[in-house]
Amino acid sequence: MNTTASSRVAGIERKVVLVTRRTRLEELVARHNTLAQAKFYVEHLGADFGDYLTENEAYARSLRITVQTLQEWGRYQMLDRSMLPNFVFSPSDIVVALGQDGLVANTLKYLDGQPLIGLNPEQSRWDGVLLPFEAKDLSQILPEVALDQRDVKTVTMAQATLSDGQALLAVNDLFIGPRTHSSALYELRYDGKTEFQSSSGLIVSTGLGSTAWIKSVVTGSMAIAQSMGIIDPSDAPYRYESMPWDSPTLEFAVREPFPSRASQATLVFGQFGRDDPLRIRSRMPDTGVIFSDGIESDFLRFTAGMEATISIAAVQGKLVH
């Protein structure tokens, strides 16, 4: 097959949507108005401004190569990550994300089965678990994806659905708790049991997210128990095993549960599947929120009396590899 990029491959014409993000330097310039003021701010704090320039140059270089490939391809559209919540993807779109792993995860939850290609703009900087390719690989990958001849990894996503019908997807994890450093008060129903709890919130993780936030919570808990002699020292705190990306189960952990006369702390960790969702009823007057994948600005209000059903989402992500 001729691997030169073309939007019309064997009679198939598919648009590519390129999702980009601002670099740290661009964020600073937007905040401080000029490059000189941004440089002054960074160096005043004792940081290396040259690193910001290097990162920006590497991203710009990868972006140029990517855009050149897409110009040869034909139909394409560029989209800043800030526009994702309001953008409507076509079912036949091929999506490309140029950035860190977080950009791929953030993009994936706005898709409905469209294939997503993750491009690493700077391999020496980003490990890129979700970024298996570089910009230079795109011209070869696109024709294969357009013909469905490229393998994809299926990603299980989580969904929080409120009693008023609002819903939020998560690629890595959901946080349910207070929006400030106060106590999360709620009623938790799991495995046929119900418990009133007070904690700093719950984490619900997908298979993809099981190497991240929830691993930190579990690892810290095991290390504390080990240091107190509650578990055998030979049970190293790093024995926590992550789940596969397409795992048919979700995992939850309660952060800093506080037992008292009015609250219990026995339902603090577990797994659940599609047929047995986790149910949580808020007891927080006005501070309760649910957000996903660490994006606190995109949240659902979870105030007293509202019930959240946490389940496996019907839609699955598809990552090209």
Side-chain angles (χ1 to χ4, degrees):
M1 176 188 295
N2 185 349
T3 57
T4 300
S6 173
S7 62
R8 186 175 295 277
V9 179
I12 299 175
E13 186 172 4
R14 300 178 66 172
K15 182 182 71 177
V16 176
V17 179
L18 172 62
V19 183
T20 61
R21 59 178 296 275
R22 285 180 174 181
T23 64
R24 291 182 302 161
L25 179 61
E26 289 172 330
E27 293 282 4
L28 281 173
V29 172
R31 188 189 315 163
H32 298 284
N33 299 316
T34 67
L35 181 64
Q37 288 178 319
K39 180 180 180 182
F40 174 80
Y41 172 79
V42 171
E43 293 182 339
H44 182 70
L45 295 176
D48 178 16
F49 188 69
D51 186 57
Y52 287 75
L53 292 172
T54 299
E55 178 192 348
N56 189 74
E57 290 168 359
Y59 190 87
R61 183 166 54 251
S62 292
L63 181 59
R64 285 194 299 270
I65 296 171
T66 302
V67 170
Q68 181 179 356
T69 298
L70 295 181
Q71 287 173 339
E72 295 174 357
W73 176 259
R75 295 183 61 210
Y76 77 96
Q77 182 172 355
M78 295 182 63
L79 184 71
D80 184 80
R81 69 180 300 174
S82 63
M83 301 302 294
L84 280 170
N86 302 313
F87 188 80
V88 178
F89 290 91
S90 169
S92 64
D93 284 346
I94 299 171
V95 185
V96 177
L98 177 65
Q100 302 169 32
D101 282 336
L103 179 65
V104 174
N106 189 31
T107 302
L108 201 60
K109 66 183 180 182
Y110 294 104
L111 303 182
D112 188 12
Q114 293 91 342
L116 175 58
I117 303 170
L119 301 182
N120 193 331
E122 191 177 2
Q123 288 193 326
S124 61
R125 182 181 299 271
W126 311 116
D127 291 338
V129 175
L130 306 182
L131 307 168
F133 306 109
E134 295 180 82
K136 62 181 177 62
D137 303 321
L138 190 59
S139 61
Q140 176 181 344
I141 297 167
L142 278 177
E144 297 173 353
V145 174
L147 292 172
D148 297 321
Q149 294 177 345
R150 192 86 194 190
D151 290 339
V152 297
K153 281 190 174 182
T154 301
V155 178
T156 298
M157 292 192 278
Q159 179 170 311
T161 306
L162 298 185
S163 46
D164 65 359
Q166 295 185 81
L168 182 67
L169 291 175
V171 175
N172 287 315
D173 41 51
L174 289 162
F175 171 79
I176 303 102
R179 66 170 179 263
T180 59
H181 293 289
S182 57
S183 295
L185 303 173
Y186 53 89
E187 175 187 318
L188 176 67
R189 277 185 279 165
Y190 169 69
D191 196 26
K193 303 172 185 176
T194 300
E195 195 166 273
F196 288 98
Q197 293 189 346
S198 174
S199 70
S200 61
L202 297 89
I203 304 297
V204 178
S205 175
T206 66
L208 182 58
S210 63
T211 59
W213 198 353
I214 198 167
K215 183 175 182 179
S216 299
V217 173
V218 174
T219 299
S221 299
M222 292 181 68
I224 291 172
Q226 185 184 45
S227 66
M228 296 177 67
I230 298 173
I231 62 174
D232 191 294
S234 63
D235 293 331
Y238 302 104
R239 288 186 59 185
Y240 171 81
E241 295 184 3
S242 60
M243 301 182 292
W245 291 5
D246 61 351
S247 172
T249 60
L250 303 176
E251 203 165 57
F252 81 93
V254 178
R255 304 192 319 164
E256 303 169 323
F258 182 74
S260 68
R261 291 181 179 179
S263 60
Q264 297 82 48
T266 61
L267 304 178
V268 297
F269 180 83
Q271 293 185 341
F272 58 97
R274 192 177 301 277
D275 299 328
D276 54 345
L278 193 70
R279 301 186 189 278
I280 308 165
R281 185 174 295 278
S282 176
R283 300 171 62 206
M284 295 170 279
D286 58 4
T287 61
V289 296
I290 300 176
F291 63 80
S292 66
D293 302 324
I295 304 176
E296 298 182 31
S297 59
D298 184 14
F299 66 88
L300 299 178
R301 289 179 58 83
F302 187 47
T303 53
M306 299 193 74
E307 182 175 88
T309 300
I310 313 299
S311 60
I312 292 177
V315 63
Q316 293 181 313
K318 293 183 179 180
L319 289 177
V320 177
H321 72 108

